[in-house]
Amino acid sequence: AMPPRDSSRAASWIVERLREWGLTVSDVDFWTCGTGPGSFTALRSVAALTAGFATAKGRAAARGVPSALAIAAEIAESRSKAVEIAVLYDGRRGEVLALPVHRGPKGFTISGDSAIFAVSRDDFTALFDFDVLAATRRETAAIESVLPKELFEKVAFIDSFPVERLLEIDDPKWDFDTLLNPIYLRSATHVAPVVPRNL
């Protein structure tokens, strides 16, 4: 329900939602947050916030769950035969980024080595291997600008997913370490610090 790219307001937003239900942060025993794919800053901020809230209760249980699994689960609910799902994201730079999700007997898991792969206007053939292509509606324009029409028409879009979808994912475990392994749309770039030049 929060606007995208607004993680700076997450703490006050969560506290306000809890207050509406007559609760405080210390009333919560289990915390789950989405771990992407997403931007470096937002994912790290929300993971730190979740860990902080859980620690405030004297080490309540906390975990991170890839949001892509919740998107796949939401879209696959109306597609009972979908097994291999690619969740698509705006990669900017004229690319769409895809994360493969597998639907198995125990639910949804990230396929293969958990790697996001890039799809460009010149090479989109890998997407034909999936039963369903999934994305949130805010990614529509970016996806349409990259994929050919026949492939774009196969993308199932949702406005959002109910947060309960994150709670339904059985894997990963209730472990703080799952908060520390988010999936970034683009890997963070680390450079050595330099002394700025005087101009």
Side-chain angles (χ1 to χ4, degrees), residues 140-158:
T140 303
I143 292 170
E144 187 174 23
S145 72
V146 173
L147 299 187
K149 184 177 180 183
E150 68 272 15
L151 204 50
F152 175 74
E153 289 174 349
K154 294 181 179 181
V155 181
F157 289 98
I158 57 172

Side-chain angles (χ1 to χ4, degrees), residues 74-96:
E74 181 69 11
I75 285 176
E77 186 168 277
S78 61
R79 292 163 176 79
S80 60
K81 295 183 179 179
V83 175
E84 301 300 333
I85 302 163
V87 182
L88 308 180
Y89 297 88
D90 176 6
R92 299 195 170 92
R93 307 178 192 176
E95 293 179 326
V96 168

